[in-house]
Short mmCIF file of all heavy atoms in Angstrom, two decimals:
data_model
loop_
_atom_site.label_atom_id
_atom_site.label_comp_id
_atom_site.label_asym_id
_atom_site.label_seq_id
_atom_site.Cartn_x
_atom_site.Cartn_y
_atom_site.Cartn_z
N LYS D 362 0.84 -1.21 0.00
CA LYS D 362 0.00 0.00 0.00
C LYS D 362 0.87 1.25 0.00
O LYS D 362 0.55 2.24 -0.67
CB LYS D 362 -0.94 -0.02 1.21
CG LYS D 362 -1.86 1.18 1.31
CD LYS D 362 -2.93 1.17 0.24
CE LYS D 362 -4.02 2.17 0.53
NZ LYS D 362 -4.10 3.25 -0.41
N SER D 363 1.98 1.21 0.73
CA SER D 363 2.85 2.40 0.77
C SER D 363 3.46 2.69 -0.60
O SER D 363 3.62 3.85 -0.97
CB SER D 363 3.94 2.26 1.84
OG SER D 363 4.95 1.38 1.42
N TYR D 364 3.78 1.65 -1.38
CA TYR D 364 4.30 1.88 -2.73
C TYR D 364 3.22 2.53 -3.61
O TYR D 364 3.51 3.43 -4.40
CB TYR D 364 4.79 0.58 -3.38
CG TYR D 364 6.06 0.04 -2.76
CD1 TYR D 364 6.15 -1.27 -2.37
CD2 TYR D 364 7.17 0.87 -2.58
CE1 TYR D 364 7.32 -1.77 -1.81
CE2 TYR D 364 8.33 0.38 -2.01
CZ TYR D 364 8.41 -0.95 -1.63
OH TYR D 364 9.56 -1.43 -1.08
N ILE D 365 1.98 2.09 -3.46
CA ILE D 365 0.88 2.68 -4.23
C ILE D 365 0.66 4.13 -3.81
O ILE D 365 0.52 5.02 -4.65
CB ILE D 365 -0.41 1.84 -4.06
CG1 ILE D 365 -0.23 0.50 -4.76
CG2 ILE D 365 -1.62 2.59 -4.60
CD1 ILE D 365 -1.33 -0.50 -4.49
N ASP D 366 0.65 4.38 -2.50
CA ASP D 366 0.46 5.75 -2.01
C ASP D 366 1.57 6.67 -2.49
O ASP D 366 1.31 7.81 -2.93
CB ASP D 366 0.38 5.77 -0.48
CG ASP D 366 -0.87 5.10 0.06
OD1 ASP D 366 -1.83 4.88 -0.70
OD2 ASP D 366 -0.87 4.77 1.28
N ASP D 367 2.81 6.18 -2.42
CA ASP D 367 3.96 6.99 -2.87
C ASP D 367 3.89 7.25 -4.38
O ASP D 367 4.21 8.34 -4.84
CB ASP D 367 5.28 6.32 -2.51
CG ASP D 367 5.57 6.36 -1.02
OD1 ASP D 367 4.88 7.10 -0.27
OD2 ASP D 367 6.49 5.62 -0.59
N ALA D 368 3.47 6.23 -5.14
CA ALA D 368 3.34 6.41 -6.59
C ALA D 368 2.27 7.45 -6.90
O ALA D 368 2.46 8.30 -7.78
CB ALA D 368 2.99 5.07 -7.25
N GLU D 369 1.18 7.42 -6.16
CA GLU D 369 0.12 8.41 -6.37
C GLU D 369 0.62 9.82 -6.08
O GLU D 369 0.34 10.75 -6.84
CB GLU D 369 -1.08 8.08 -5.48
CG GLU D 369 -2.28 8.94 -5.76
CD GLU D 369 -3.52 8.48 -5.01
OE1 GLU D 369 -3.39 7.73 -4.02
OE2 GLU D 369 -4.62 8.88 -5.43
N LYS D 370 1.41 9.97 -5.02
CA LYS D 370 1.97 11.28 -4.68
C LYS D 370 2.97 11.76 -5.73
O LYS D 370 3.18 12.96 -5.88
CB LYS D 370 2.68 11.22 -3.32
CG LYS D 370 1.75 11.07 -2.15
CD LYS D 370 2.55 10.89 -0.86
CE LYS D 370 1.66 10.41 0.25
NZ LYS D 370 2.42 9.87 1.39
N ASN D 371 3.61 10.81 -6.42
CA ASN D 371 4.66 11.14 -7.39
C ASN D 371 4.22 10.90 -8.83
O ASN D 371 5.07 10.73 -9.71
CB ASN D 371 5.91 10.30 -7.08
CG ASN D 371 6.61 10.76 -5.84
OD1 ASN D 371 7.30 11.77 -5.85
ND2 ASN D 371 6.41 10.04 -4.75
N ILE D 372 2.93 10.93 -9.07
CA ILE D 372 2.42 10.61 -10.42
C ILE D 372 2.95 11.60 -11.47
O ILE D 372 3.09 11.24 -12.64
CB ILE D 372 0.88 10.54 -10.43
CG1 ILE D 372 0.42 9.77 -11.68
CG2 ILE D 372 0.24 11.92 -10.30
CD1 ILE D 372 -0.98 9.25 -11.60
N ASN D 373 3.30 12.80 -11.08
CA ASN D 373 3.83 13.79 -12.03
C ASN D 373 5.33 13.69 -12.24
O ASN D 373 5.88 14.37 -13.10
CB ASN D 373 3.45 15.20 -11.59
CG ASN D 373 1.95 15.43 -11.71
OD1 ASN D 373 1.35 15.08 -12.72
ND2 ASN D 373 1.36 15.98 -10.67
N ASP D 374 6.00 12.86 -11.46
CA ASP D 374 7.45 12.66 -11.59
C ASP D 374 7.67 11.30 -12.25
O ASP D 374 7.65 10.26 -11.60
CB ASP D 374 8.10 12.72 -10.21
CG ASP D 374 9.60 12.55 -10.25
OD1 ASP D 374 10.14 12.02 -11.25
OD2 ASP D 374 10.25 12.94 -9.25
N LYS D 375 7.88 11.32 -13.56
CA LYS D 375 7.98 10.09 -14.35
C LYS D 375 9.00 9.10 -13.78
O LYS D 375 8.70 7.93 -13.60
CB LYS D 375 8.39 10.46 -15.77
CG LYS D 375 7.55 9.82 -16.83
CD LYS D 375 8.04 10.19 -18.20
CE LYS D 375 7.34 11.43 -18.69
NZ LYS D 375 7.53 11.64 -20.13
N ASN D 376 10.20 9.58 -13.52
CA ASN D 376 11.26 8.69 -13.06
C ASN D 376 10.96 8.09 -11.69
O ASN D 376 11.16 6.89 -11.48
CB ASN D 376 12.61 9.41 -13.03
CG ASN D 376 13.12 9.70 -14.42
OD1 ASN D 376 12.79 9.00 -15.38
ND2 ASN D 376 13.92 10.74 -14.55
N GLU D 377 10.48 8.90 -10.78
CA GLU D 377 10.14 8.39 -9.44
C GLU D 377 8.98 7.41 -9.53
O GLU D 377 8.96 6.37 -8.86
CB GLU D 377 9.80 9.54 -8.49
CG GLU D 377 9.57 9.11 -7.06
CD GLU D 377 10.77 8.49 -6.37
OE1 GLU D 377 11.92 8.67 -6.82
OE2 GLU D 377 10.56 7.80 -5.36
N PHE D 378 8.00 7.71 -10.36
CA PHE D 378 6.85 6.83 -10.53
C PHE D 378 7.29 5.47 -11.05
O PHE D 378 6.88 4.43 -10.52
CB PHE D 378 5.83 7.46 -11.48
CG PHE D 378 4.56 6.67 -11.58
CD1 PHE D 378 3.53 6.89 -10.68
CD2 PHE D 378 4.40 5.70 -12.56
CE1 PHE D 378 2.35 6.15 -10.75
CE2 PHE D 378 3.23 4.96 -12.64
CZ PHE D 378 2.21 5.18 -11.74
N VAL D 379 8.14 5.44 -12.09
CA VAL D 379 8.62 4.18 -12.65
C VAL D 379 9.42 3.41 -11.61
O VAL D 379 9.28 2.19 -11.48
CB VAL D 379 9.45 4.42 -13.94
CG1 VAL D 379 10.16 3.16 -14.39
CG2 VAL D 379 8.55 4.94 -15.05
N TYR D 380 10.23 4.12 -10.82
CA TYR D 380 11.00 3.46 -9.75
C TYR D 380 10.05 2.81 -8.73
O TYR D 380 10.26 1.66 -8.32
CB TYR D 380 11.91 4.49 -9.06
CG TYR D 380 12.61 3.94 -7.85
CD1 TYR D 380 13.66 3.03 -7.98
CD2 TYR D 380 12.21 4.31 -6.56
CE1 TYR D 380 14.29 2.51 -6.87
CE2 TYR D 380 12.84 3.80 -5.45
CZ TYR D 380 13.88 2.90 -5.60
OH TYR D 380 14.51 2.39 -4.50
N LEU D 381 9.00 3.52 -8.35
CA LEU D 381 8.05 2.97 -7.38
C LEU D 381 7.27 1.79 -7.96
O LEU D 381 6.95 0.84 -7.25
CB LEU D 381 7.10 4.07 -6.88
CG LEU D 381 7.78 5.10 -5.98
CD1 LEU D 381 6.93 6.36 -5.86
CD2 LEU D 381 8.07 4.51 -4.60
N GLU D 382 6.99 1.83 -9.26
CA GLU D 382 6.37 0.68 -9.91
C GLU D 382 7.29 -0.53 -9.83
O GLU D 382 6.84 -1.64 -9.54
CB GLU D 382 6.07 0.98 -11.38
CG GLU D 382 4.86 1.84 -11.59
CD GLU D 382 4.19 1.54 -12.91
OE1 GLU D 382 4.89 1.23 -13.89
OE2 GLU D 382 2.96 1.59 -12.94
N PHE D 383 8.55 -0.31 -10.11
CA PHE D 383 9.53 -1.40 -10.00
C PHE D 383 9.53 -1.96 -8.58
O PHE D 383 9.50 -3.18 -8.38
CB PHE D 383 10.93 -0.91 -10.39
CG PHE D 383 12.00 -1.90 -10.05
CD1 PHE D 383 12.23 -2.99 -10.87
CD2 PHE D 383 12.76 -1.75 -8.90
CE1 PHE D 383 13.22 -3.93 -10.54
CE2 PHE D 383 13.74 -2.67 -8.57
CZ PHE D 383 13.97 -3.77 -9.39
N LYS D 384 9.55 -1.08 -7.58
CA LYS D 384 9.57 -1.51 -6.17
C LYS D 384 8.31 -2.33 -5.84
O LYS D 384 8.39 -3.32 -5.12
CB LYS D 384 9.69 -0.32 -5.23
CG LYS D 384 10.98 0.46 -5.34
CD LYS D 384 12.18 -0.34 -4.88
CE LYS D 384 12.19 -0.43 -3.37
NZ LYS D 384 13.33 -1.16 -2.83
N PHE D 385 7.17 -1.90 -6.35
CA PHE D 385 5.91 -2.61 -6.14
C PHE D 385 6.03 -4.05 -6.63
O PHE D 385 5.74 -5.00 -5.90
CB PHE D 385 4.79 -1.87 -6.90
CG PHE D 385 3.46 -2.57 -6.92
CD1 PHE D 385 2.54 -2.37 -5.91
CD2 PHE D 385 3.13 -3.43 -7.97
CE1 PHE D 385 1.30 -3.01 -5.94
CE2 PHE D 385 1.90 -4.06 -8.01
CZ PHE D 385 0.98 -3.85 -6.99
N HIS D 386 6.48 -4.22 -7.88
CA HIS D 386 6.61 -5.55 -8.45
C HIS D 386 7.67 -6.36 -7.71
O HIS D 386 7.45 -7.54 -7.41
CB HIS D 386 6.95 -5.47 -9.94
CG HIS D 386 5.80 -5.08 -10.79
ND1 HIS D 386 4.96 -5.99 -11.39
CD2 HIS D 386 5.32 -3.86 -11.14
CE1 HIS D 386 4.02 -5.35 -12.07
NE2 HIS D 386 4.22 -4.06 -11.94
N HIS D 387 8.78 -5.75 -7.40
CA HIS D 387 9.86 -6.45 -6.72
C HIS D 387 9.43 -6.94 -5.34
O HIS D 387 9.80 -8.04 -4.92
CB HIS D 387 11.10 -5.55 -6.62
CG HIS D 387 12.31 -6.29 -6.18
ND1 HIS D 387 12.68 -6.40 -4.86
CD2 HIS D 387 13.22 -7.00 -6.89
CE1 HIS D 387 13.77 -7.13 -4.77
NE2 HIS D 387 14.12 -7.51 -5.99
N TYR D 388 8.64 -6.14 -4.65
CA TYR D 388 8.20 -6.54 -3.32
C TYR D 388 7.28 -7.76 -3.40
O TYR D 388 7.31 -8.62 -2.51
CB TYR D 388 7.51 -5.39 -2.58
CG TYR D 388 7.39 -5.67 -1.11
CD1 TYR D 388 8.52 -5.60 -0.28
CD2 TYR D 388 6.18 -6.05 -0.55
CE1 TYR D 388 8.42 -5.90 1.07
CE2 TYR D 388 6.08 -6.35 0.80
CZ TYR D 388 7.20 -6.27 1.60
OH TYR D 388 7.11 -6.57 2.94
N ILE D 389 6.50 -7.86 -4.46
CA ILE D 389 5.66 -9.05 -4.65
C ILE D 389 6.55 -10.29 -4.78
O ILE D 389 6.26 -11.34 -4.20
CB ILE D 389 4.72 -8.87 -5.86
CG1 ILE D 389 3.65 -7.82 -5.51
CG2 ILE D 389 4.07 -10.21 -6.26
CD1 ILE D 389 2.79 -7.40 -6.67
N PHE D 390 7.69 -10.17 -5.49
CA PHE D 390 8.63 -11.29 -5.60
C PHE D 390 9.16 -11.66 -4.21
O PHE D 390 9.31 -12.83 -3.89
CB PHE D 390 9.83 -10.97 -6.49
CG PHE D 390 9.51 -10.41 -7.84
CD1 PHE D 390 10.44 -9.63 -8.50
CD2 PHE D 390 8.29 -10.64 -8.47
CE1 PHE D 390 10.18 -9.11 -9.75
CE2 PHE D 390 8.01 -10.11 -9.72
CZ PHE D 390 8.96 -9.35 -10.37
N GLU D 391 9.46 -10.62 -3.42
CA GLU D 391 9.98 -10.87 -2.07
C GLU D 391 8.97 -11.61 -1.20
O GLU D 391 9.34 -12.50 -0.44
CB GLU D 391 10.38 -9.55 -1.41
CG GLU D 391 11.65 -8.96 -1.98
CD GLU D 391 12.07 -7.67 -1.28
OE1 GLU D 391 11.68 -7.47 -0.11
OE2 GLU D 391 12.79 -6.89 -1.91
N ILE D 392 7.71 -11.22 -1.30
CA ILE D 392 6.67 -11.89 -0.51
C ILE D 392 6.58 -13.36 -0.92
O ILE D 392 6.47 -14.25 -0.07
CB ILE D 392 5.29 -11.22 -0.69
CG1 ILE D 392 5.30 -9.80 -0.14
CG2 ILE D 392 4.20 -12.04 0.01
CD1 ILE D 392 4.07 -8.98 -0.53
N ALA D 393 6.62 -13.62 -2.23
CA ALA D 393 6.52 -14.99 -2.73
C ALA D 393 7.67 -15.85 -2.19
O ALA D 393 7.49 -17.03 -1.92
CB ALA D 393 6.50 -15.00 -4.24
N ASP D 394 8.83 -15.25 -2.03
CA ASP D 394 9.98 -15.91 -1.38
C ASP D 394 10.30 -17.27 -2.00
O ASP D 394 10.35 -18.29 -1.32
CB ASP D 394 9.73 -16.03 0.13
CG ASP D 394 10.98 -16.45 0.89
OD1 ASP D 394 12.09 -16.09 0.45
OD2 ASP D 394 10.84 -17.14 1.92
N ASN D 395 10.50 -17.26 -3.31
CA ASN D 395 10.88 -18.48 -4.02
C ASN D 395 12.18 -18.19 -4.76
O ASN D 395 12.19 -17.44 -5.74
CB ASN D 395 9.76 -18.89 -4.99
CG ASN D 395 10.07 -20.19 -5.69
OD1 ASN D 395 11.09 -20.33 -6.35
ND2 ASN D 395 9.17 -21.15 -5.53
N LYS D 396 13.27 -18.79 -4.29
CA LYS D 396 14.60 -18.49 -4.82
C LYS D 396 14.74 -18.91 -6.29
O LYS D 396 15.41 -18.23 -7.06
CB LYS D 396 15.66 -19.14 -3.96
CG LYS D 396 15.78 -18.51 -2.59
CD LYS D 396 16.85 -19.19 -1.76
CE LYS D 396 16.96 -18.54 -0.40
NZ LYS D 396 16.10 -19.14 0.61
N VAL D 397 14.13 -20.00 -6.67
CA VAL D 397 14.23 -20.46 -8.06
C VAL D 397 13.54 -19.47 -8.99
O VAL D 397 14.11 -19.01 -9.97
CB VAL D 397 13.63 -21.88 -8.21
CG1 VAL D 397 13.59 -22.29 -9.68
CG2 VAL D 397 14.42 -22.88 -7.39
N LEU D 398 12.29 -19.14 -8.66
CA LEU D 398 11.55 -18.19 -9.49
C LEU D 398 12.22 -16.82 -9.49
O LEU D 398 12.26 -16.15 -10.53
CB LEU D 398 10.11 -18.06 -9.01
CG LEU D 398 9.21 -19.28 -9.23
CD1 LEU D 398 7.85 -19.06 -8.58
CD2 LEU D 398 9.07 -19.59 -10.71
N SER D 399 12.75 -16.41 -8.34
CA SER D 399 13.43 -15.11 -8.27
C SER D 399 14.66 -15.07 -9.16
O SER D 399 14.92 -14.06 -9.82
CB SER D 399 13.82 -14.79 -6.82
OG SER D 399 12.66 -14.55 -6.06
N ALA D 400 15.42 -16.16 -9.20
CA ALA D 400 16.62 -16.21 -10.06
C ALA D 400 16.22 -16.09 -11.53
O ALA D 400 16.87 -15.36 -12.30
CB ALA D 400 17.39 -17.50 -9.81
#
């Protein structure tokens, strides 16, 4: 939720928005916690 909130606050900053999108997706990988799939 914090990544979504931060992205919403930074919607006018293209680079920051894209970075937060990356963080959102990456955190989902972290939650899944599967080393094979992560590699």
Side-chain angles (χ1 to χ4, degrees):
K362 180 71 167 114
S363 75
Y364 290 131
I365 291 171
D366 292 344
D367 289 348
E369 187 172 19
K370 290 175 194 164
N371 288 283
I372 199 162
N373 292 314
D374 181 340
K375 229 183 269 194
N376 290 333
E377 185 63 19
F378 186 88
V379 170
Y380 173 73
L381 290 162
E382 283 210 325
F383 169 80
K384 295 293 286 181
F385 173 89
H386 286 267
H387 191 268
Y388 196 74
I389 290 171
F390 309 156
E391 287 182 24
I392 295 169
D394 191 31
N395 183 303
K396 291 180 180 90
V397 173
L398 291 174
S399 291

